């Protein structure tokens, strides 16, 4: 079972936030959205966060992205999204100064 939006955000009841408004409109687990709509929101948020992150991607990461999209089954792609979100939020990542050289 999915956890409510408030579990993942700083939302508190009656705070008047956008998150509260989204929860009222689409349900506490976004059950009133289609899968496509949820994937669009993941994409839109990720693009904006990527644009704000310092540095740039190594060229090989673009190749990895293409390999993932062309070779993995849907359930593994969804699993990778979940794993990457967890790692972005809670895991350790290379800093720009630690980044490996471009290949």
């Amino acid at each position: 079972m999915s956890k409510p939006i408030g579990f993942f955000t700083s939302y508190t009841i009656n705070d008047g936030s956008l998150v509260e408004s989204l929860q009222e409109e689409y349900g506490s687990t976004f059950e009133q959205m289609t899968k496509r709509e949820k994937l669009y929101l993941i994409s839109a948020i990720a693009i904006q966060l990527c644009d704000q992150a310092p540095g740039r991607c190594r060229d090989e990461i673009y190749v990895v992205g293409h390999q993932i999209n062309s070779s993995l089954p849907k359930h593994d792609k969804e699993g990778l999204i979940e794993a990457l979100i967890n790692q972005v939020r809670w895991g350790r990542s290379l800093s720009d100064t630690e980044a490996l050289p471009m290949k």
Side-chain angles (χ1 to χ4, degrees), residues 3 7-8 78-93:
K3 292 183 169 90
F7 178 84
F8 301 99
E78 291 169 348
L80 278 176
I81 289 171
E82 184 175 7
L84 289 166
I85 288 170
N86 189 290
Q87 292 164 21
V88 164
R89 190 153 193 205
W90 306 110
R92 185 184 179 286
S93 296

Side-chain angles (χ1 to χ4, degrees), residues 2 12 70:
S2 296
T12 55
S70 62

Side-chain angles (χ1 to χ4, degrees), residues 16-94:
S17 67
L18 175 59
V19 174
E20 180 175 54
S21 175
L22 292 172
Q23 181 170 281
E24 289 173 1
E25 180 77 19
Y26 301 106
S28 66
T29 60
F30 284 172
E31 65 271 14
Q32 298 299 315
M33 285 186 189
T34 67
K35 188 172 201 170
R36 183 179 182 95
E37 291 167 338
K38 292 173 188 178
L39 288 167
Y40 171 80
L41 290 178
I42 290 168
S43 174
I45 293 165
I47 288 168
Q48 195 262 347
L49 290 173
C50 182
D51 287 346
Q52 290 180 346
R56 62 178 284 246
C57 289
R58 292 171 275 167
D59 290 341
E60 67 195 78
I61 301 303
Y62 296 104
V63 173
V64 170
H66 176 73
Q67 290 171 329
I68 288 167
N69 282 329
S70 62
S71 300
L72 289 181
K74 179 180 152 187
H75 70 275
D76 283 342
K77 291 177 193 175
E78 291 169 348
L80 278 176
I81 289 171
E82 184 175 7
L84 289 166
I85 288 170
N86 189 290
Q87 292 164 21
V88 164
R89 190 153 193 205
W90 306 110
R92 185 184 179 286
S93 296
L94 291 174

